[in-house]
Amino acid sequence: MAQTKWAAISIILLLVGVGIGYGIWGTAAPATVTETITQTKTETVGGQTITVTETAAGTTIIQTQTVTRTQTVTAAMQPVELAISVWAAGDPASVTRVDNIVNACNRLVKFAGTLGAPYTCTIEETYYHRGGWEDYEKKIFLAFEAGELPDIIAVGHEWIPVLADKGMIVPLDEYINKYWDFAFFDVPETLWNAVRYKGKLWAIPQDTEARPLYIWKPALKGLGWSDEEIAALPEKIKNGEFTLDDMLEVAKQAVDAGLVKYGVLHRPTPGGELWQVIFAYGGKLWNPDTGNMVLDKEAMQRALEWFYRASRELQVLPQDMTTWSWRSIHTAVVSGETLFWFGGTWHWAEWQKVEYHPELGAVPESYLWENFIFALVPSGFQGGKPVTLSHPFVYVVTSQSENPEGAALVLAVASQPEFDVAHAVGSAHIPVRKSSLEHPAMKASKFLSDVAYMLDYATFLPMHPLWGKYRKIIYDAIAAVELGKMAPADALKFIEDSIKADPELSTVVEIV
Amino acid sequence: MGRSQEIYIRAPRFGNINRILGKAVLYGVVTAMTLPIIIMYLWLFMQSVSEKVLIGFIPSGFTADGWRFLWGPVKFGEVLLPPIWPITLNSLIIALGVTGIEVSIALMAGYALSRLRVPFRDSFLILIIILHAFPGITLLIAIFYLLNVMGLINTLLSVIIAKAALEIPMATWLIKGFFDAVPWDVEASALVDGCSRLQAWYKVILPLVKPGVAAVAIFAFLAGWNEFIYALTFIFDPNLYPLSIHIIGLIGEFRYVDYTLLAATALFYSIPPLVFFVITQKAFMKVPLVGMKGA
């Protein structure tokens, strides 16, 4: 019985041993291998990706292996039709705000064509060069009510709070992130801050600018300034060695000497050039920490006193300045009737394109270089920091757009340096991308290269829905001071009282 | 005798002088009153064909450059302006649309108010004149919302309807006066002869109020042709803009204005109303003398 038991165990062990031995031998030197081929095909059909897996097995066995081959098969692509509408506004030299969108669309079609993609892109562009900004604003709001907003609108960055709060535009963070490496990686942070509201990015910067103080060289020469002294003036302003009061003093000398008709001219409508005087006295109009607007009483008082000295005491600034037409101002500036002009970089291009000069018409750039120098707006204090105001123009995508994705794509292409530069050079604005500064056309533009440093001194408008209301009060106060209707102290009181009397403004303007 | 003959001869001489003096004063006053208008049109014409005008209207250097918009694209600064012909067509559609609606409704309403026993007719007449007293601009937003609800915003029809609606009360009053002047006997004769009321209105009365129809049509056409504020507010598509908005675009903020182009376009803008007036003035001036026997 015991022998039978051990015999059975021996047979089992033998069989197991044979089995193990066979297995080891078989693995080490197989006669044949089963090949299993798995193919995965990814096909794009009608915009959807379909993955098909095919497995082939049972051929001559040499070794066992699994091969996975991924093959992308592009099926016949469905035509993509992109139809985008865009509105923009501005001076006739800035029509590139819509032209760039059209050109970006064409570029997109060409690029898609090289990939064999049947892509069509249609842009319906409207450029408002008639009327003022208020008409443009009304048009946008009426179109919103009627559900007729276009896909893209170009506006000043300070419009964002109003448009966003009313639900007229959509945040673009998703698209900006998507196209970051392609189009937006080198847009300066200051410009992103200008389009950030309530923690979201609502727009894509389109252009920016500085607001230089233009100075008529022949008048300085007439006062006995040497070429070196004239050339050094922008640097003196930069270093705080030439203040706003020095400016009035020189203006008075030039007017008294009969070298110019006016000492200083400024814009006739509410706008950034006027607020620069408040900034030059260390004031601010917005508190980015609280999001509220600010009435800095001390700086405002000093600014109003400066306007009073210029217009009423020294009489170097026309007392009816706020009633002038734009055309008469530009004519006076380009024909050398004023020593100082609070202008903008875009005026440099405008003067070359519009017939402002009574005899020369549109003046050549050589004429401008011969007769003007430009500088930052001087500080109000000796040794103080000069200022300029930058007002970035931006593209927003409206909430009524049926294709925000397509609109964002077109904007990403329109933000490429060649388009950025085309607008900058054509309209004398400053490009929004750092890489644009390296573009040959930009390097060839001496003017833009020379003013680029001013962005380091840039201030911005308040990002507040009620800024339009607040700025009108300040502008009315300045106009009243110049027209002699109010003393500076009364004008300041008028501003303060107007804010306190307004149920909306009183809660959003910090009086300091 | 000789003395009286002398007086007889002198009297007509003084009479002539007085008459001539009277006419001279009359023409002088009329000329003085119309001179600003004449100078305006003279300036427009001279400016449109001159490189420069001296002392307001003396041309200096002939040029047809201002009229270039008729045969090619025009650049305004760097902006390429849309072609003029589709814009002119838009203006024509608005003007003719307003004319058609206004004349047809005013003719029927005016006849009804003149001839039929309409309850509260006097109150109704006062009400429609009150309606006309509202300046269109005060109703702008309300009309905008109405048209928006109707889905008509951004169409030429929106401008036509709004303009015609606000012009109809005055046109009704105007044409009612013409119907009132037609003797009842004329209409009664037509009815006796077997005409229905509608036939009498169409075949007998309307021919007698042709001057009234012409007057209403001229005013309606001019109102439609000159329309600006409704077109500016209700239309967003620049392809639908009429000439009035196009001209504002040429002026802009007076920064880039090309006066030669502006003057030529303004003259072009004034041609269709002139043509329309010439066509309709014959009927406008005709006094209804036919069928007045016994009136």
Side-chain angles (χ1 to χ4, degrees), chain B residues 201-215:
Chain B
W201 173 74
Y202 180 71
K203 290 184 175 174
V204 179
I205 308 296
L206 276 192
L208 294 177
V209 294
K210 259 188 184 174
V213 178

Side-chain angles (χ1 to χ4, degrees), chain B residues 7-261:
Chain B
I7 292 167
Y8 175 76
I9 292 163
R10 274 181 185 175
R13 193 180 292 166
F14 281 123
N16 278 341
I17 290 169
N18 284 339
R19 207 177 307 140
I20 289 166
L21 270 175
K23 278 190 176 178
V25 170
L26 191 66
Y27 278 104
V29 170
V30 171
T31 307
M33 286 170 70
T34 52
L35 203 59
I37 299 168
I38 293 168
I39 289 175
M40 273 195 316
Y41 280 104
L42 195 65
W43 179 86
L44 262 187
F45 178 71
M46 293 305 181
Q47 180 70 69
S48 73
V49 293
S50 309
E51 286 172 2
K52 210 172 188 179
V53 286
L54 309 170
I55 327 172
F57 53 86
I58 301 168
S60 167
F62 174 80
T63 178
D65 198 42
W67 294 88
R68 65 190 183 279
F69 64 87
L70 291 177
W71 51 82
V74 173
K75 262 198 158 186
F76 183 70
E78 294 296 298
V79 181
L80 191 67
L81 295 177
I84 197 84
W85 297 110
I87 294 172
T88 308
L89 182 65
N90 291 338
S91 281
L92 267 177
I93 291 172
I94 292 174
L96 292 174
V98 171
T99 308
I101 293 175
E102 192 178 325
V103 169
S104 49
I105 293 179
L107 277 177
M108 289 186 277
Y111 176 76
L113 288 169
S114 172
R115 286 288 195 266
L116 306 183
R117 285 182 186 166
V118 180
F120 309 110
R121 190 175 66 166
D122 292 342
S123 309
F124 187 69
L125 283 169
I126 291 167
L127 271 175
I128 57 175
I129 209 70
I130 288 173
L131 185 63
H132 186 76
F134 274 102
I137 193 81
T138 58
L139 302 171
L140 196 63
I141 299 301
I143 295 173
F144 180 90
Y145 275 97
L146 278 175
L147 291 169
N148 193 24
V149 168
M150 294 160 74
L152 290 175
I153 286 294
N154 207 16
T155 63
L156 290 178
L157 190 59
S158 63
V159 181
I160 294 170
I161 288 177
K163 192 68 189 173
L166 288 169
E167 293 291 324
I168 282 170
M170 195 62 203
T172 305
W173 261 89
L174 192 70
I175 200 73
K176 178 188 170 294
F178 282 86
F179 282 121
D180 287 345
V182 177
W184 167 243
D185 295 348
V186 176
E187 196 172 351
S189 307
L191 294 174
V192 168
D193 287 349
C195 281
S196 68
R197 199 75 195 234
L198 196 64
Q199 282 173 324
W201 173 74
Y202 180 71
K203 290 184 175 174
V204 179
I205 308 296
L206 276 192
L208 294 177
V209 294
K210 259 188 184 174
V213 178
V216 170
I218 287 171
F219 289 133
F221 185 87
L222 288 178
W225 185 259
N226 294 335
E227 179 43 43
F228 171 73
I229 192 69
Y230 294 142
L232 187 71
T233 310
F234 302 154
I235 293 178
F236 304 110
D237 183 353
N239 295 321
L240 297 176
Y241 279 162
L243 269 168
S244 53
I245 294 183
H246 181 75
I247 286 178
I248 284 291
L250 290 178
I251 297 170
E253 289 182 307
F254 285 99
R255 292 162 82 172
Y256 317 97
V257 61
D258 174 347
Y259 283 103
T260 308
L261 176 68

